């Protein structure tokens, strides 16, 4: 359900809904962050994922509170350092050269199997995209004052 490309998210959700309605298949919903932190047992941790342009999506948990969003490259490195220094968090990243941790595909997708085994399915009308930034069209419209 995201975060990621607006078009990609919309196509993926529409395809899943179409298949579910047409075949009565069950749907398990997950976001990009879950695949990265599924096997982290630390109470405090952060996840950074390279996004569109010079932006990074972030998700971090600090003392039970969750923070997620999208930030530019210069702000992202400051945020990553703050997560690491102030909360002793584990940093898991994708395509961020300063903080790379490799994950096995089997580990990253094991949470999907667990959701299926626990029966954590959703109805098609419960699926909503996870957008953490404005679309490029919205950004350009605001920049032009429209």
């Amino acid at each position: 359900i995201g975060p990621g490309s607006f078009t990609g998210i919309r196509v993926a959700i529409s395809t899943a809904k179409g298949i579910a309605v047409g075949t009565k298949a069950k749907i398990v919903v997950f976001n990009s962050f879950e695949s990265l932190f599924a096997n982290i047992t630390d109470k405090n941790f952060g996840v950074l994922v390279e996004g569109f342009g010079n932006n990074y999506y972030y998700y971090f948990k600090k003392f039970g509170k969750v923070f997620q969003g999208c930030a530019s490259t210069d702000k992202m490195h400051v945020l990553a350092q703050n997560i690491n220094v102030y909360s002793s968090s584990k940093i898991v990243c994708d395509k961020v050269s300063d903080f790379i941790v490799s994950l096995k595909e089997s580990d990253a997708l094991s949470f999907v199997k667990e959701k299926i085994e626990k029966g954590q399915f959703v109805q098609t009308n419960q699926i909503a995209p996870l957008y953490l930034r404005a679309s490029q069209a919205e950004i350009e419209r605001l920049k032009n004052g429209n």
Side-chain angles (χ1 to χ4, degrees), residues 97-121:
S97 60
D98 294 345
F99 308 101
I100 293 181
V101 174
S102 64
L103 299 169
K104 295 181 199 169
E105 185 175 323
S106 60
D107 291 340
L109 297 178
S110 64
F111 72 95
V112 175
K113 183 179 177 185
E114 288 176 25
K115 283 186 170 199
I116 292 169
E117 290 170 351
K118 291 177 182 177
Q120 296 176 337
F121 303 107

Side-chain angles (χ1 to χ4, degrees), residues 136-146:
Q136 194 60 36
E138 292 170 312
I139 293 168
E140 291 299 321
R141 186 176 64 233
L142 292 172
K143 197 185 302 182
N144 294 329
N146 296 327

Side-chain angles (χ1 to χ4, degrees), residues 9-145:
I9 293 168
R10 289 180 180 145
V11 168
I13 290 174
S14 297
T15 301
K17 286 181 174 185
I19 290 170
V21 169
T23 66
K24 306 222 185 306
K26 296 180 180 179
I27 297 176
V28 173
V29 173
F30 63 94
N31 64 56
S32 300
F33 295 130
E34 287 180 285
S35 65
L36 294 173
F37 67 72
N39 295 317
I40 295 176
T41 57
D42 298 2
K43 290 182 182 178
N44 299 314
F45 65 90
V47 177
L48 305 177
V49 179
E50 189 171 10
F52 180 76
N54 290 322
N55 293 301
Y56 290 89
Y57 297 109
Y58 63 88
Y59 175 106
F60 68 94
K61 190 172 182 180
K62 182 176 179 181
F63 306 116
K65 194 168 185 180
V66 171
F67 302 89
Q68 62 183 9
C70 185
S72 63
T73 304
D74 55 335
K75 292 179 184 174
M76 194 76 271
H77 289 287
V78 171
L79 178 62
Q81 289 170 350
N82 287 336
I83 295 169
N84 197 26
V85 172
Y86 297 116
S87 70
S88 301
S89 296
K90 181 173 187 174
I91 306 291
V92 177
C93 301
D94 180 35
K95 298 180 184 175
V96 182
S97 60
D98 294 345
F99 308 101
I100 293 181
V101 174
S102 64
L103 299 169
K104 295 181 199 169
E105 185 175 323
S106 60
D107 291 340
L109 297 178
S110 64
F111 72 95
V112 175
K113 183 179 177 185
E114 288 176 25
K115 283 186 170 199
I116 292 169
E117 290 170 351
K118 291 177 182 177
Q120 296 176 337
F121 303 107
V122 298
Q123 300 296 317
T124 56
N125 63 347
Q126 295 175 315
I127 302 171
L130 175 62
Y131 296 133
L132 297 179
R133 70 172 184 85
S135 70
Q136 194 60 36
E138 292 170 312
I139 293 168
E140 291 299 321
R141 186 176 64 233
L142 292 172
K143 197 185 302 182
N144 294 329

